[in-house]
Amino acid sequence: MSDIAIKVENLSKAYQLGDFSTGTLSRDLERWWALMRGKEDPFLKIGEANDRAVKGISDVVWSLKDISFDIEQGDAVGVIGRNGAGKSTLLKILSRVTTPTVGSVKVKGRIASLLEVGTGFHPDLTGRENIFLNGAILGMRKTEIKKHFDAIVDFAGVERYIDTPVKRYSSGMYVRLAFAVAAHLESEILIVDEVLAVGDVEFQKKCLGKMNDVSKGEGRTVLFVSHNMGMISQLCNKGILLKNGNIISYNQTQEVVARYLADNNDSSLNTFVFPADQKKTVGQFLNFEIVNAEGAVADKISFDDSIRLNYRLQVKQYIPGIQIGIGLQDKLQNRISTFTKEINVGNGDIIEGSIKLPDSIIAPNNYNFVIAIWNKNGEVYDIHENIGSVTIVDNGTDLSLYEGKDYGAVILKAIWE
């Protein structure tokens, strides 16, 4: 385990729903007797995967189920997955906040963790006292903590309140100080859950820069949980994708993010079949779908991936100058761009075609489309508004830290001088 910072073998974690007893004295005694003999808890055998969308029949759920992986020293690993996938449970076990039900975790070095607002802080102690308390918990001497004290306070930006009990801090101040302590005290492993979302954008940028320095500059190991794929892509060189307590993928970050987006695509949102309408005597759309570069119907597409719009329509009679158009619009129905094409067919001809939108231009956000058939005089023969739902996902642009903010409809590559 010379270059392995964290080694996880056959790790599982079960939780009992509802009451903590089994419901009867005889079953409680049976469980106790099994544990006393070092045997497996007999009632864990009927446990189920932690899928919150499905009604279960057991009161035991596996938050993590038989996962194994190694993390090398100096790696920055992003842990991603939907809510309830087991991300926070994994970090709590690695941070020794809770114990596994089955399996083992071997860690080389000291761990500094930031799992939720106020982790490791005593509310009645001042910021100064909590810095020394956290350092002591990590096994550091007072002289070592003093060496980093000024840098911690400066990074957190709470110098004015450093001698105030932290129970009077806002949640943002709490997180600023807690992150500063975890990042500056000399631990070999830094574990950060998605608490950084509490802080403001500038502080998030500051934290990401510090974690980058910790990983690439100081060679420390970082585990980072976030739903912001852009942050994960910028910071982490590897990723772990969890689903219902199982590892679906452990690979290079870009591959894991792509797998996460593929697994969470809802094709039903972007496949449309329009019924024949006899009132539409000139032309009408028959089908429309939104697909990614691989040709799969998708509602989540990476910023650097291309969007292809497939359509099928019928032109029932020939009229010179018939146009088809597809408009891209944001979630407030503001038109971003319109793409048009003239067609010269008729007599019931069916046209199948597609249009490829440029990649790495449409800014990460939510979009939909309007499709129409009309003539040069502006007479509309068929129109469908606000159809489809596609989310452009930031997977590592310079604007990753501002995900969720309005930074425009397109990202253009400019030359700075």
Side-chain angles (χ1 to χ4, degrees):
M1 191 177 165
S2 57
D3 294 327
I4 302 298
I6 300 173
K7 188 175 187 65
V8 173
E9 295 182 299
N10 309 118
L11 182 68
S12 298
K13 179 64 177 180
Y15 285 106
Q16 172 89 34
L17 302 181
D19 295 331
F20 287 99
S21 71
T22 59
T24 65
L25 178 60
S26 62
R27 296 174 83 184
D28 283 345
L29 289 172
E30 187 178 347
R31 169 178 284 177
W32 172 80
W33 180 239
L35 295 175
M36 288 294 290
R37 292 180 296 149
K39 303 292 185 181
E40 181 183 3
D41 186 336
F43 297 99
L44 294 180
K45 295 178 181 177
I46 58 172
E48 299 175 314
N50 185 27
D51 188 349
R52 298 185 300 173
V54 178
K55 182 172 177 158
I57 58 174
S58 172
D59 60 356
V60 175
V61 296
W62 292 98
S63 183
L64 296 171
K65 185 65 174 175
D66 196 26
I67 64 173
S68 300
F69 60 88
D70 294 341
I71 295 177
E72 295 183 4
Q73 188 173 338
D75 274 350
V77 180
V79 184
I80 62 178
R82 301 175 68 177
N83 290 333
K87 306 185 298 295
S88 294
T89 300
L90 175 60
L91 296 198
K92 286 178 181 177
I93 291 175
L94 296 179
S95 302
R96 300 190 179 101
V97 172
T98 187
T99 57
T101 305
V102 181
S104 66
V105 175
K106 296 177 182 176
V107 177
K108 182 181 180 182
R110 295 177 294 192
I111 296 177
S113 60
L114 185 57
L115 303 181
E116 56 189 39
V117 177
T119 299
F121 276 14
H122 192 294
D124 292 320
L125 297 181
T126 66
R128 182 187 302 274
E129 290 166 336
N130 271 296
I131 291 174
F132 283 94
L133 174 63
N134 270 258
I137 291 172
L138 283 173
M140 298 177 66
R141 294 186 178 90
K142 194 172 182 178
T143 52
E144 292 180 278
I145 303 169
K146 281 183 175 180
K147 184 176 72 173
H148 297 283
F149 183 84
D150 290 340
I152 291 171
V153 175
D154 180 64
F155 187 93
V158 294
E159 183 175 3
R160 187 173 183 180
Y161 308 98
I162 197 64
D163 291 310
T164 300
V166 296
K167 65 183 178 183
R168 298 197 177 98
Y169 284 16
S170 67
S171 58
M173 290 168 62
Y174 233 118
V175 168
R176 294 174 81 96
L177 184 58
F179 180 85
V181 170
H184 285 81
L185 296 185
E186 294 175 347
S187 60
E188 284 73 31
I189 300 169
L190 175 63
I191 296 178
V192 181
D193 209 335
E194 50 198 340
V195 293
L196 297 185
V198 176
D200 56 65
V201 171
E202 285 304 315
F203 183 66
Q204 289 181 29
K205 185 176 181 180
K206 200 174 180 180
C207 290
L208 191 66
K210 181 60 180 176
M211 285 194 287
N212 198 48
D213 292 342
V214 162
S215 172
K216 296 176 182 175
E218 301 173 23
R220 291 156 67 186
T221 306
V222 175
L223 268 77
F224 180 44
V225 167
S226 176
H227 285 103
N228 185 327
M229 295 300 108
M231 279 190 179
I232 292 284
S233 298
Q234 275 205 346
L235 175 67
C236 304
N237 63 311
K238 291 182 181 177
I240 294 175
L241 173 58
L242 289 173
K243 182 177 181 181
N244 297 336
N246 296 296
I247 291 183
I248 303 300
S249 178
Y250 179 27
N251 212 321
Q252 299 301 310
T253 307
Q254 293 297 335
E255 294 183 26
V256 175
V257 169
R259 177 69 183 274
Y260 170 74
L261 296 179
D263 282 357
N264 285 280
N265 270 319
D266 186 350
S267 61
S268 65
L269 294 174
N270 289 332
T271 301
F272 300 90
V273 178
F274 305 109
D277 189 341
Q278 300 303 320
K279 296 178 182 178
K280 296 174 180 176
T281 58
V282 176
Q284 72 172 99
F285 282 97
L286 303 176
N287 302 86
F288 180 74
E289 64 179 6
I290 304 168
V291 302
N292 58 22
E294 287 73 40
V297 178
D299 71 316
K300 298 178 184 65
I301 297 178
S302 297
F303 171 73
D304 58 2
D305 199 351
S306 59
I307 303 174
R308 188 173 288 278
L309 310 173
N310 297 330
Y311 60 86
R312 187 167 172 263
L313 57 87
Q314 183 179 32
V315 182
K316 298 179 181 179
Q317 60 176 291
Y318 173 76
I319 295 178
I322 287 183
Q323 306 276 328
I324 62 172
I326 299 176
L328 171 68
Q329 53 193 24
D330 65 18
K331 56 188 176 184
L332 298 177
Q333 278 72 62
N334 297 313
R335 187 65 57 85
I336 306 304
S337 186
T338 302
F339 313 95
T340 63
K341 179 178 176 61
E342 183 173 325
I343 53 177
N344 294 297
V345 296
N347 303 318
D349 288 340
I350 292 178
I351 297 175
E352 292 186 3
S354 67
I355 176 173
K356 176 182 175 296
L357 304 189
D359 52 43
S360 303
I361 289 181
I362 304 172
N365 216 322
N366 301 316
Y367 301 91
N368 56 31
F369 296 89
V370 56
I371 58 176
I373 303 173
W374 73 94
N375 65 22
K376 289 183 177 179
N377 298 323
E379 184 180 358
V380 176
Y381 304 122
D382 190 19
I383 186 169
H384 299 275
E385 298 182 289
N386 304 332
I387 67 168
S389 174
V390 63
T391 300
I392 305 299
V393 179
D394 193 325
N395 61 336
T397 72
D398 292 339
L399 295 168
S400 298
L401 292 165
Y402 304 96
E403 186 170 333
K405 307 293 181 183
D406 183 7
Y407 46 79
V410 295
I411 296 179
L412 302 176
K413 294 180 179 179
I415 299 174
W416 291 84
E417 296 178 349

